[in-house]
Amino acid sequence: DARKMPSTPMMEIHLYKDQNLGIEEIKSFVNKKIELTLVRDIADTEIDLARMCITIVPREKAMAKRNITRADLMRKVREKNKKIKENQIVEEPDKYVINFMGQKKFNFKTLLNMWESIQKSKIKGIDEIKRVIIRHEGDEYILYTEGSNLQKILELEEVDVARTSTNNIIENAGVLGVEAARRPIFEEARKTLSEQGLTVDHLHLMLLPDV
């Protein structure tokens, strides 16, 4: 359909074959540059309205899996939330406590907003790319994503621009132009029909994207 955001936006990302990246290198590339990581993905956050403080409890296994250190976590929290000063953060063995008691113009509502903002703070990755699945097809690895951000993905030097695609037709038109938007309309129609065992000549199918 013609909605601006499809119900299931996804991308098929191809990497340049001459890089000869192994599975571990691709996993590292996905973790560092593509898959979106928010604070809530790697840490539990608790709010204490009585003491006017927010507690961040890092989940060590989740952080190790995404190659993120405690220092990375707290640096990004401060970068994304400018109201947090260094002297407000108390480091304990298994958690960080951010104290807002006595801060001017800071009330319960402000504290709740800060709590939500911390949970949604971005650590790394590309906006909208929530999850990446790596599949070995033929002689290469292909990345399938949940979510789509064509502009940012095409800026990555490892990505084969010519073969990478998204099912978001409006995004294709916005990033690559109206001619490029014809292709995903054709591909989506072809896939849908072929999954039902129907073979339709591609010239007939091209009538739809042309219109």
Side-chain angles (χ1 to χ4, degrees):
D1 59 37
R3 284 183 296 175
K4 189 170 184 180
M5 180 58 70
S7 56
T8 54
M10 60 180 292
M11 296 188 71
E12 184 178 310
I13 302 172
H14 292 257
L15 306 177
Y16 286 114
K17 290 183 178 181
D18 58 7
Q19 296 178 105
N20 296 319
L21 297 176
I23 184 64
E24 293 304 321
E25 293 168 305
I26 293 173
K27 283 180 180 178
S28 176
F29 165 66
V30 168
N31 282 334
K32 286 181 180 178
K33 295 188 178 182
I34 298 183
E35 203 165 51
L36 179 64
T37 300
L38 306 178
V39 168
R40 65 187 176 203
D41 297 322
I42 57 170
D44 298 314
T45 57
E46 301 167 1
I47 186 170
D48 188 334
L49 294 173
R51 294 170 54 210
M52 291 292 286
C53 68
I54 295 171
T55 303
I56 300 175
V57 184
R59 297 199 298 271
E60 299 295 344
K61 286 185 179 179
M63 289 175 64
K65 186 178 179 181
R66 297 181 188 233
N67 197 26
I68 298 170
T69 64
R70 284 184 164 210
D72 295 332
L73 169 63
M74 295 312 295
R75 187 180 71 253
K76 288 295 183 180
V77 166
R78 286 195 59 209
E79 282 178 7
K80 302 294 182 181
N81 303 278
K82 302 294 185 183
K83 290 182 180 180
I84 299 175
K85 309 300 180 187
E86 193 171 349
N87 60 3
Q88 292 176 276
I89 304 172
V90 178
E91 183 177 357
E92 298 185 10
D94 61 341
K95 62 186 178 182
Y96 293 90
V97 179
I98 307 170
N99 185 18
F100 296 95
M101 184 69 79
Q103 190 168 328
K104 291 181 180 179
K105 298 181 180 178
F106 218 88
N107 53 35
F108 291 153
K109 184 178 179 182
T110 316
L111 186 66
L112 285 167
N113 289 338
M114 177 63 72
W115 180 47
E116 290 180 3
S117 176
I118 288 173
Q119 291 185 84
K120 296 176 183 177
S121 295
K122 176 179 162 183
I123 305 297
K124 62 182 180 179
I126 294 176
D127 291 340
E128 308 300 336
I129 307 294
K130 299 170 186 173
R131 197 160 68 98
V132 180
I133 295 171
I134 305 170
R135 288 184 187 167
H136 189 261
E137 297 181 9
D139 61 346
E140 64 177 332
Y141 289 98
I142 301 174
L143 313 181
Y144 292 92
T145 72
E146 181 182 325
S148 176
N149 191 329
L150 187 62
Q151 179 75 54
K152 292 296 182 183
I153 288 293
L154 295 184
E155 290 173 4
L156 300 175
E157 59 184 21
E158 295 88 346
V159 171
D160 187 341
V161 176
R163 296 188 296 147
T164 295
S165 61
T166 173
N167 68 345
N168 189 332
I169 294 158
I170 305 297
E171 188 178 29
N172 264 289
V175 175
L176 300 174
V178 69
E179 289 294 326
R182 295 162 72 242
R183 187 70 188 182
I185 298 174
F186 169 77
E187 287 297 337
E188 291 298 308
R190 184 189 62 77
K191 284 179 186 176
T192 303
L193 291 170
S194 63
E195 285 168 4
Q196 303 302 316
L198 301 172
T199 304
V200 180
D201 190 283
H202 72 279
L203 293 176
H204 292 298
L205 288 180
M206 284 304 296
L207 288 172
L208 176 62
D210 283 344
V211 170

